[in-house]
């Protein structure tokens, strides 16, 4: 008992014990802090820290240059820590418990930190897929030697959007001829207040990118600002709102069902058959022209190598389990969307289980067109689809993925096919500039910040995708879709 008490005391003193969840609002206790995390176009960014000090302080006693805020990453169970760098402080002032500025002495001090796409050390999440050794969140240490102040206990994190979501998990169980296995899936979900068995609502199954894989499902909300799916702007397109189901992949959606000789699964970008077909297809066509022998339908529709995600059935079973638990979901209005590797998974689910989904909206999707058979294109052409991509995407090149797929769908007679194409991805809020230090005489003065071309999901989540003919917004279009 003494040893257990000592370990607990050690963890409390080092600040390792804190709530690894997000709150709508939070009042920090004495000698503790509340860390505010914004959900931005580029990802999570700590924008404010409110500390509760033992003594009252005045505005005159607070100098931003005297404060330091260090990110600290703790090893699970041991209290051993390593530094994650310091945050850039932009302002410090006396405040109330929620961080609102006050013009009087206060026990609460609010620290504002740099908010910018390239702000140093701004994310509360470690920048790697969690190995399980370290905590899933950074802790923080606030120091001011002039005030003899040091606070290391994070009481919790604050983000109103993330607080709308609930966290849960599901374990998929299966067996092959040689072994039984389980697949754990953490997930986040949002249910509108108006949802009921009487007022059934649709559901969006949403897939994150490769960078949000791991064992911390809050990553799926912040990595690409998926919290926006639960915001009023998008929710208002649906009569009683729309539910969100966002599973987290332990490894990566691109992991396929095909294995090598050692039992290691291939990942979807492997395109052995696609490379071979570039050589063999012209030969087959020439041979057929001379002999009159045509390739059979069976040969044409051979399942492409390393195309189907290993997580297809685990996610499908998770979805059905979720639907059983939530009878307020309208099964005729289930939609699927995702970006990058999540866009791959969106296409994968539409190909493997088209009977489930009323519509899909893949963005900068990573499903190689060479992996989609003619029969699958014919099936996809019957479904409402909305693609989004940026022309300068160098991470997932549209010419190998969505562009040829879109062309094939058009040739197959797709009736409800929409495409939002952007030349590049820039800030459209007027808040973030390409060069914050530029003077009026500089060529880049006033230019918006430009993101990597792969981040076209920014336009989707900011509700900036419109039909080129009717100007109908993507999510308004989505709200009208039902299984035929």
């Amino acid at each position: 008992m003494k040893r257990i008490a000592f370990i607990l005391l050690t963890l409390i003193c080092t600040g390792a014990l804190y709530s690894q969840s997000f709150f709508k609002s939070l009042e920090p206790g004495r000698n503790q802090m509340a860390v505010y995390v914004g959900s931005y176009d580029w990802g999570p960014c700590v924008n404010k820290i409110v500390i509760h000090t033992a003594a009252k302080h005045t505005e005159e006693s607070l100098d931003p240059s005297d404060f330091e805020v260090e990110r600290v990453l703790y090893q699970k169970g041991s209290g051993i820590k390593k530094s994650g760098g310091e945050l850039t402080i932009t302002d410090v002032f006396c405040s109330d418990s929620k961080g609102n500025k006050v013009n009087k002495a206060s026990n609460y001090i609010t620290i504002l930190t740099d908010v910018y796409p390239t702000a140093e050390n701004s994310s509360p999440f470690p920048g790697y897929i969690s190995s399980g050794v370290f905590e899933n969140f950074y802790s923080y240490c606030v120091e001011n030697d002039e005030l003899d102040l040091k606070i290391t206990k994070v009481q919790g994190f604050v983000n109103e959007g993330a607080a709308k979501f609930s966290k849960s998990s599901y374990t998929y169980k299966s067996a092959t001829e040689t072994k039984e296995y389980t697949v754990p899936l953490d997930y986040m979900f949002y249910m509108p207040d108006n949802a009921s068995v009487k007022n059934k609502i649709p559901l969006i199954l949403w897939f994150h990118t490769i960078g949000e894989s791991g064992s911390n499902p809050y990553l799926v909300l912040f990595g690409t600002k998926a919290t926006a799916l639960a915001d009023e702007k998008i929710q208002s397109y649906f009569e009683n709102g729309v539910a969100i189901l966002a599973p987290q992949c332990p490894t990566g959606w691109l992991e396929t069902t095909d294995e090598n000789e050692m039992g290691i699964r291939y990942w979807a970008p492997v395109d052995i058959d696609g490379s071979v077909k570039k050589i063999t297809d012209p030969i087959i066509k020439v041979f057929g022209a001379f002999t009159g022998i045509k390739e059979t339908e069976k040969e044409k529709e051979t399942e492409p190598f390393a195309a189907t995600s290993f997580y297809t059935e685990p996610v499908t079973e998770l979805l059905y389990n979720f639907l059983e638990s939530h009878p307020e979901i309208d099964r005729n209005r289930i939609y699927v969307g995702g970006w990058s590797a999540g866009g791959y998974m969106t296409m994968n689910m539409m190909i493997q289980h088209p009977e489930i989904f009323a519509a899909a909206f893949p963005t900068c999707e990573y499903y190689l067109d060479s992996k989609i058979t003619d029969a699958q294109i014919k099936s996809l052409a019957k479904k409402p689809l909305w693609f989004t991509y940026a022309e300068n995407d160098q991470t997932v090149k549209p010419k190998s993925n969505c562009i040829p797929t879109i062309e094939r769908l058009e040739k197959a007679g797709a009736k409800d096919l929409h495409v939002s194409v952007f030349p590049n991805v820039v800030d459209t809020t007027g808040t973030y500039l390409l060069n914050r230090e530029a003077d009026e005489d500089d060529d880049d003065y006033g230019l918006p910040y430009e993101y990597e071309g792969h981040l076209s999901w920014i336009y989707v989540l900011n509700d900036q995708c419109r039909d080129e003919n009717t100007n109908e917004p993507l999510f308004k279009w989505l709200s009208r879709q039902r299984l035929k």
Side-chain angles (χ1 to χ4, degrees):
M1 287 296 293
K2 288 182 179 180
R3 178 173 174 78
I4 294 173
F6 174 76
I7 292 173
L8 287 174
L9 180 61
T10 301
L11 293 176
I12 291 171
C13 291
T14 58
L17 287 183
Y18 57 93
S19 179
Q20 292 190 343
S21 57
F22 283 85
F23 300 88
K24 182 177 180 180
S25 64
L26 186 65
E27 295 186 6
R30 179 163 291 190
N31 294 321
Q32 298 182 36
M33 72 183 83
V35 178
Y36 288 69
V37 182
S39 184
Y40 297 97
D41 287 341
W42 63 87
C45 183
V46 173
N47 54 40
K48 181 171 69 174
I49 295 177
V50 180
I51 61 174
H52 187 178
T53 63
K56 286 190 175 184
H57 298 278
T58 62
E59 182 180 352
E60 293 74 23
S61 67
L62 303 182
D63 184 342
S65 64
D66 293 334
F67 283 83
E68 291 182 357
V69 179
E70 181 187 18
R71 287 194 312 180
V72 181
L73 189 59
Y74 285 96
Q75 191 177 50
K76 290 181 178 179
S78 70
I80 296 173
K81 65 179 182 179
K82 66 176 183 177
S83 175
E86 293 184 7
L87 278 67
T88 301
I89 297 172
T90 59
D91 198 8
V92 177
F93 51 82
C94 294
S95 70
D96 61 16
S97 61
K98 301 295 180 62
N100 301 304
K101 191 171 185 178
V102 297
N103 296 316
K104 60 181 180 179
S106 176
N107 290 100
Y108 296 98
I109 297 174
T110 291
I111 302 167
L112 300 184
T113 57
D114 190 24
V115 176
Y116 193 68
T118 57
E120 293 185 350
N121 310 315
S122 60
S123 175
F125 308 115
Y128 55 86
I129 295 176
S130 175
S131 63
V133 176
F134 292 95
E135 297 289 351
N136 285 326
F137 291 71
Y138 280 105
S139 187
Y140 294 85
C141 177
V142 177
E143 288 189 83
N144 185 323
D145 292 337
E146 296 297 320
L147 300 179
D148 193 25
L149 175 68
K150 183 175 182 179
I151 294 181
T152 61
K153 178 70 180 296
V154 175
Q155 185 167 324
F157 295 88
V158 181
N159 180 285
E160 188 173 350
K164 296 177 183 179
F165 286 78
S166 300
K167 180 174 66 172
S168 191
S169 61
Y170 173 78
T171 300
Y172 171 78
K173 298 180 180 180
S174 187
T176 64
E177 295 180 359
T178 57
K179 63 180 179 180
E180 295 182 355
Y181 65 94
T182 60
V183 179
L185 289 171
D186 292 321
Y187 64 92
M188 306 297 295
F189 70 94
Y190 166 77
M191 293 296 295
D193 294 334
N194 293 333
S196 67
V197 175
K198 182 179 180 181
N199 297 317
K200 287 183 179 291
I201 59 170
L203 169 72
I204 294 176
L205 175 62
W206 180 84
F207 291 112
H208 61 78
T209 67
I210 194 70
E212 286 77 61
S213 301
S215 59
N216 178 9
Y218 282 106
L219 284 171
V220 309
L221 299 183
F222 285 94
T224 54
K225 203 176 76 169
T227 52
L229 293 171
D231 288 348
E232 177 62 25
K233 190 173 186 180
I234 290 176
Q235 288 289 317
S236 65
Y237 288 117
F238 303 84
E239 184 178 359
N240 292 302
V242 58
I244 312 296
L245 175 60
Q248 183 181 37
C249 185
T251 56
W253 302 123
L254 301 170
E255 190 174 347
T256 73
T257 54
D258 288 296
E259 301 179 349
N260 64 16
E261 298 81 1
M262 299 177 64
I264 299 174
R265 285 184 283 272
Y266 288 96
W267 283 49
V270 174
D271 195 24
I272 296 173
D273 49 359
S275 300
V276 171
K277 285 180 180 179
K278 287 181 181 179
I279 300 173
T280 60
D281 282 356
I283 297 174
I284 292 172
K285 287 181 180 179
V286 172
F287 181 76
F290 276 103
T291 63
I293 300 174
K294 296 182 179 180
E295 188 179 14
T296 66
E297 288 299 318
K298 184 176 181 180
E299 289 172 332
K300 286 182 181 178
E301 300 308 332
T302 300
E303 180 72 18
F305 175 77
T308 305
S309 176
F310 169 74
Y311 291 98
T312 303
E313 294 314 311
V315 166
T316 303
E317 291 302 314
L318 163 63
L319 174 59
Y320 281 130
N321 180 268
F322 186 82
L323 293 174
E324 288 296 325
S325 302
H326 295 87
E328 62 270 37
I329 300 296
D330 185 347
R331 296 196 180 200
N332 289 317
R333 292 187 293 163
I334 300 175
Y335 316 123
V336 58
W339 344 116
S340 189
Y344 157 83
M345 195 60 176
T346 299
M347 296 295 291
N348 174 80
M349 294 301 290
M350 287 297 288
I351 289 170
Q352 300 301 324
H353 290 290
E355 74 282 359
I356 297 176
F357 304 104
F361 56 109
T363 302
C364 55
E365 55 95 349
Y366 203 3
Y367 204 104
L368 290 171
D369 179 68
S370 61
K371 301 289 187 183
I372 306 177
T373 67
D374 290 340
Q376 290 167 347
I377 285 290
K378 290 179 182 178
S379 174
L380 287 170
K382 299 174 184 178
K383 310 293 289 191
L385 300 168
W386 193 310
F387 292 82
T388 301
Y389 68 91
E391 292 174 319
N392 70 335
D393 187 345
Q394 295 300 309
T395 301
V396 173
K397 295 184 179 181
K399 289 183 178 180
S400 300
N401 296 276
C402 61
I403 289 178
T405 299
I406 292 166
E407 292 174 350
R408 292 171 67 195
L409 287 168
E410 290 172 340
K411 290 178 181 179
K415 302 296 184 184
D416 200 351
L417 176 64
H418 303 260
V419 184
S420 291
V421 184
F422 299 89
N424 57 355
V425 183
V426 298
D427 173 65
T428 58
T429 66
T431 305
Y432 307 105
L433 301 176
L434 185 63
N435 183 359
R436 294 190 288 179
E437 309 301 326
D439 296 323
E440 291 187 18
D441 296 332
D442 296 331
D443 292 339
D444 56 359
Y445 178 76
L447 293 180
Y449 185 88
E450 182 169 354
Y451 297 95
E452 213 182 312
H454 190 45
L455 276 65
S456 53
W457 57 72
I458 288 175
Y459 294 117
V460 175
L461 290 172
N462 285 330
D463 190 30
Q464 294 170 325
C465 293
R466 298 286 188 274
D467 180 87
E468 60 181 3
N469 297 316
T470 65
N471 202 39
E472 184 178 39
L474 186 160
F475 289 101
K476 178 65 176 177
W477 164 86
L478 192 68
S479 71
R480 296 190 291 102
Q481 309 307 319
R482 287 169 169 75
L483 282 177
K484 299 292 191 285

